[in-house]
Amino acid sequence: MTSPLPNELTGPYLHVVPPAAAAIVPATDDLRLIVETCPDLMCVTEMDGTFRYVNPAFKAVLGHEPADLTGKLSLDFIHPDDVPGLIAAVAANPEETSIEFRFRNAAGEWVDVEMNRKLMRDAQGEPAGAVVTSRDITERRKADQRFRLLADHSPVGIYIAQDGRFVFVNPQFARYTGYAEEQLLGMKPLDLVLPEDRDYVRENAVQMLKGARSFEYEYRIVNRAGETRWIMESVISIDFHGRRAALGNYIDITDRKRAEELQQRTLAELARSNEELGQFAYVASHDLQEPLRMVASFTQLLSRRYKGKLDDDADEFIRYAVDGVTRMQNLINDLLAYSRVGTRGKPPEPTDCAYIFERVLANLTTAVQESGATVTAEGLPTVMADPTQLEQLFQNLIGNAIKYRGERAPVVSVTAADDGGRWHFIVRDNGIGIDQEYRDRIFVIFQRLHGKEEYEGTGIGLAICKKIVERHGGHIWVESDKGKGSAFHFTIPREGGSGQ
Amino acid sequence: MEVLLVEDSPGDVRLTREALKEGKVRNNLNVVSDGVEAMEYLRREGQYAGALRPDIVLLDLNMPRKDGREVLAEMKEDHSLKRIPVVILTTSEAEQDILRTYDLHANCYLTKPVDLDQFISIVKSVEDFWLTIVKLPRD
């Protein structure tokens, strides 16, 4: 045909309407209006696919004038690669066909369309042509592509499951499960789940389908290699090709779970170990005291019963024996005190150092009076600490400052300063001082620089101080010289210590 | 006065004996070294058929075979024995031991002091209080 055919919405087939819609067919004028204002592409074709009529949308969407199309074969405008598929689809479903293909627009570009073709019969019931409605699905295609891009490159596993089977999985999901993408499609998601967790997962799926928004939960799967992995999944109900489906996001949290488990076990182990240590220390000291008590008691009874009946040597021997026992008992009690810094330590709480200082002064009243000591404090803050241990710390340091005095009456000062992230305390005295060379040794358990005749004590006080300070995450050291007094420094971090 | 001392440490037995000697009241100290013997004595069984009923029992807690807690429980459940005052004399300072023995109706709880003088003083106090000041049930 060479002359352009009229682009008319007329013809025998317009009198044929699908029987079901007979009751509600609008008047012809309205029909015209509907077709002409429809934003989707609507056309009528001959049986061979020639355009008989195209609606104005062809111009709006594709830029084609009706004259360019009417009388032309539609197949000429369709991408050659899509033509065989279209022909086969129509042949398979002549009454109604749905398919997607690419259609050339006026600018020569390929546009993705989705077509719905319905066969029309004439008054005699013979096939007389088709009414075709199509839609530009470029945007939808782009959206699909964007989704695809996202899914392909996502470090998160993504899947879509419908009717209890996977209909889409992304590469990361395949990696997580150890199966290939092709293997997963058609597999049932529950088959991947560890048997013990299946009820839980099923329960959550039910909840999710009931319309709960998005849902996050953790469970275990068994991958292709047979390993159990922990998964955190977020799943939501979506519409997929017209029906309900589940869209899930998946990350492997096995490492995190293992770290958590390890941490739990370690903490439990630590707690148990501390408990054991505490019990051991108690039992050890308890059982050690028993025989000591025997020795002490009977030597004292001996001395008492036979007073005056034994010679001076005997008295002296007994005195040494009893003295030895007493010292042993003190050592055991001190060791117990030392071990309790760890096993009976309490978690840090806000502690007013000024108040602790007052308590310590009260505890040391006798020592202060006997020595004529002057003890002052300035700028003491509130810190995060175990109050009992802080009191022990202050008492040991201030007590030492008074004890290790020289000729003069002791003058002791306690100060504190804010040193960035920590409090820096100094306990200064004018006592006998410590030789530089022993600066570190004095903090070692039972290390003494003086005989027991000169100054009493077992040498555990500073070791306990060090343990307390370190338990709170701080440091302790001394600046001193023989004959020149001492300054004991220690730090306590502001936010509270490690609290072991 | 008949005193029953239930104590497994021979040293502590001896110390207690010495301490009681220094007390005011004439008393007869009977000694058994574990819980099984204690019950036999109290029930006048076997070798203890001729035993006299004690006016007071000094009871150690930690002993082999049957310990002081079991003896205490059995005594206080036995109609013929439950009136006898039981003074717990032990090395343990444990809170749970104190609570448990008072739950079992011990009359009082004493921890053996480490110091000899204090030990003697405590034993004499017990004797003083329980054997001269307190009114004992006469069965």
Side-chain angles (χ1 to χ4, degrees):
Chain A
M1 302 198 190
T2 49
S3 61
L5 289 181
N7 190 33
E8 283 181 329
L9 207 55
T10 59
Y13 16 80
L14 275 190
H15 301 293
V16 179
V17 289
I24 51 162
V25 175
T28 313
D29 285 341
D30 293 338
L31 264 175
R32 186 187 304 276
L33 203 60
I34 288 169
V35 170
E36 286 179 355
T37 58
C38 184
D40 283 337
L41 305 165
M42 291 182 88
C43 63
V44 177
T45 62
E46 312 290 354
M47 285 308 294
D48 68 358
T50 309
F51 283 115
R52 170 78 178 150
Y53 163 78
V54 298
N55 78 342
F58 273 84
K59 166 98 171 147
V61 176
L62 299 170
H64 288 297
E65 299 292 343
D68 301 337
L69 297 175
T70 324
K72 302 280 197 317
L73 197 54
S74 59
L75 293 176
D76 288 342
F77 292 84
I78 293 174
H79 195 288
D81 294 344
D82 297 335
V83 167
L86 171 59
I87 293 178
V90 172
N93 294 295
E95 293 296 324
E96 184 167 352
T97 320
S98 287
I99 192 166
E100 291 172 16
F101 52 77
R102 285 159 285 184
F103 195 93
R104 180 159 44 84
N105 69 5
E109 300 156 334
W110 294 109
V111 176
D112 288 302
V113 300
E114 175 184 64
M115 170 201 85
N116 192 291
R117 174 188 183 276
K118 256 191 120 68
L119 183 68
M120 300 315 269
R121 294 174 187 275
D122 61 19
Q124 285 75 45
E126 291 303 308
V131 168
V132 180
T133 315
S134 302
R135 168 175 295 168
D136 177 350
I137 55 167
T138 313
E139 274 316 302
R140 202 183 75 193
R141 265 293 153 76
K142 279 204 200 127
D144 278 349
Q145 272 163 5
R146 269 183 237 121
F147 171 77
R148 201 67 210 222
L149 206 62
L150 188 71
D152 281 346
H153 292 93
S154 178
V156 169
I158 301 174
Y159 74 84
I160 299 178
Q162 192 169 55
D163 303 325
R165 286 178 198 274
F166 288 118
V167 292
F168 167 80
V169 295
N170 76 339
Q172 181 67 296
F173 190 88
R175 277 196 286 275
Y176 275 154
T177 59
Y179 293 94
E181 286 173 58
E182 308 82 63
Q183 288 174 294
L184 285 162
L185 297 174
M187 260 177 84
K188 292 196 262 196
L190 265 180
D191 286 344
L192 285 176
V193 179
L194 187 72
E196 292 103 271
D197 290 351
R198 280 185 196 164
D199 284 338
Y200 176 65
V201 172
R202 222 181 265 120
E203 209 4 79
N204 277 302
V206 165
Q207 285 301 320
M208 185 268 296
L209 288 173
K210 274 189 191 160
R213 302 225 344 109
S214 101
F215 225 88
E216 222 171 75
Y217 59 117
E218 298 175 3
Y219 61 90
R220 286 160 293 183
I221 60 161
V222 182
N223 67 9
R224 190 178 184 190
E227 303 165 331
T228 305
R229 310 288 298 177
W230 271 98
I231 293 293
M232 186 181 81
E233 181 178 275
S234 166
V235 65
I236 190 171
S237 181
I238 59 162
D239 181 295
F240 189 68
H241 293 166
R243 280 176 310 115
R244 222 161 34 168
L247 170 65
N249 272 309
Y250 221 66
I251 48 174
D252 184 318
I253 54 167
T254 311
D255 289 339
R256 199 231 303 159
K257 277 281 178 186
R258 295 224 171 107
E260 272 172 19
E261 265 170 50
L262 188 63
Q263 190 187 43
Q264 293 289 74
R265 272 208 307 273
T266 308
L267 284 174
E269 184 59 40
L270 199 64
R272 196 192 56 79
S273 172
N274 261 354
E275 165 93 24
E276 252 182 35
L277 213 60
Q279 278 181 353
F280 173 77
Y282 172 77
V283 167
S285 76
H286 197 251
D287 289 349
L288 287 173
Q289 298 275 20
E290 186 55 29
L292 281 179
R293 196 165 61 82
M294 292 292 114
V295 173
S297 301
F298 284 105
T299 39
Q300 283 176 300
L301 251 184
L302 200 64
S303 132
R304 205 179 298 193
R305 185 67 56 85
Y306 296 98
K307 208 180 192 72
K309 297 185 196 144
L310 291 173
D311 63 4
D312 285 343
D313 279 348
D315 285 338
E316 200 184 329
F317 295 163
I318 289 174
R319 223 186 24 254
Y320 280 128
V322 171
D323 193 52
V325 167
T326 312
R327 277 189 298 126
M328 181 71 175
Q329 287 171 337
N330 289 336
L331 279 171
I332 291 174
N333 285 330
D334 283 348
L335 259 181
L336 205 54
Y338 183 76
S339 87
R340 278 184 187 149
V341 171
T343 61
R344 283 205 188 162
K346 294 191 292 254
E349 62 186 68
T351 308
D352 181 0
C353 292
Y355 172 68
I356 298 282
F357 176 75
E358 295 303 323
R359 280 180 68 97
V360 166
L361 273 194
N363 295 341
L364 293 173
T365 310
T366 321
V368 167
Q369 279 173 355
E370 278 178 3
S371 62
T374 314
V375 188
T376 55
E378 201 183 312
L380 294 187
T382 297
V383 299
M384 289 297 287
D386 172 342
T388 313
Q389 292 187 350
L390 201 63
E391 187 173 326
Q392 268 176 303
L393 175 63
F394 273 82
Q395 188 149 332
N396 276 346
L397 291 176
I398 298 175
N400 274 356
I402 297 175
K403 181 161 88 183
Y404 291 100
R405 59 182 177 278
E407 305 291 313
R408 311 172 277 175
V411 172
V412 185
S413 75
V414 182
T415 53
D418 191 339
D419 185 12
R422 50 197 200 158
W423 287 105
H424 184 149
F425 294 80
I426 308 180
V427 178
R428 218 179 276 278
D429 70 58
N430 61 345
I432 58 175
I434 302 162
D435 215 317
Q436 284 280 32
E437 115 179 51
Y438 303 126
R439 261 177 332 180
D440 299 318
R441 199 140 71 100
I442 55 172
F443 292 104
V444 174
I445 195 168
F446 293 149
Q447 283 290 326
R448 306 199 70 218
L449 302 178
H450 307 276
K452 60 175 180 62
E453 309 301 326
E454 303 168 81
Y455 297 100
E456 62 92 18
T458 53
I460 202 157
L462 284 176
I464 289 185
C465 290
K466 181 164 188 263
K467 201 170 188 210
I468 291 175
V469 166
E470 283 172 5
R471 184 177 170 260
H472 285 80
H475 291 96
I476 185 167
W477 68 98
V478 67
E479 275 170 8
S480 181
D481 230 324
K482 206 171 174 92
K484 304 217 173 98
S486 308
F488 278 86
H489 299 245
F490 67 92
T491 58
I492 305 261
R494 295 200 73 130
E495 340 71 50
S498 37
Q500 302 124 291
Chain B
M1 292 288 191
E2 295 292 319
V3 178
L4 176 64
L5 174 61
V6 188
E7 168 65 65
D8 65 323
S9 153
D12 275 324
V13 169
R14 189 75 165 91
L15 284 175
T16 311
R17 202 186 283 280
E18 293 302 316
L20 282 172
K21 272 191 202 161
E22 298 188 23
K24 299 181 208 162
V25 185
R26 273 192 47 172
N27 54 72
N28 217 1
L29 182 63
N30 305 284
V31 181
V32 293
S33 55
D34 66 31
V36 173
E37 283 190 9
M39 293 319 296
E40 281 177 11
Y41 184 99
L42 289 164
R43 293 188 172 129
R44 304 175 212 181
E45 290 167 5
Q47 58 174 315
Y48 299 111
L52 291 174
R53 187 191 156 86
D55 294 296
I56 187 174
V57 174
L58 300 176
L59 184 59
D60 185 17
L61 283 184
N62 297 315
M63 295 178 292
R65 287 211 294 171
K66 188 182 280 201
D67 74 8
R69 299 163 195 87
E70 289 181 66
V71 171
L72 180 60
E74 281 186 41
M75 277 185 74
K76 294 299 177 180
E77 270 172 23
D78 185 330
H79 285 294
S80 61
L81 299 175
K82 68 186 190 183
R83 285 182 184 158
I84 304 176
V86 178
V87 172
I88 304 291
L89 192 57
T90 179
T91 46
S92 166
E93 292 180 285
E95 186 77 23
Q96 70 243 38
D97 280 335
I98 301 175
L99 292 175
R100 176 119 180 82
T101 46
Y102 274 116
D103 273 344
L104 292 171
H105 308 295
N107 293 77
C108 63
Y109 188 104
L110 294 164
T111 307
K112 291 179 197 165
V114 165
D115 181 74
L116 173 69
D117 286 332
Q118 287 178 8
F119 181 81
I120 293 180
S121 163
I122 275 199
V123 172
K124 280 163 75 175
S125 297
V126 166
E127 186 200 5
D128 230 18
F129 184 75
W130 285 100
L131 299 184
T132 71
I133 297 176
V134 152
K135 295 270 182 279
L136 288 175
R138 290 259 166 259
D139 280 347

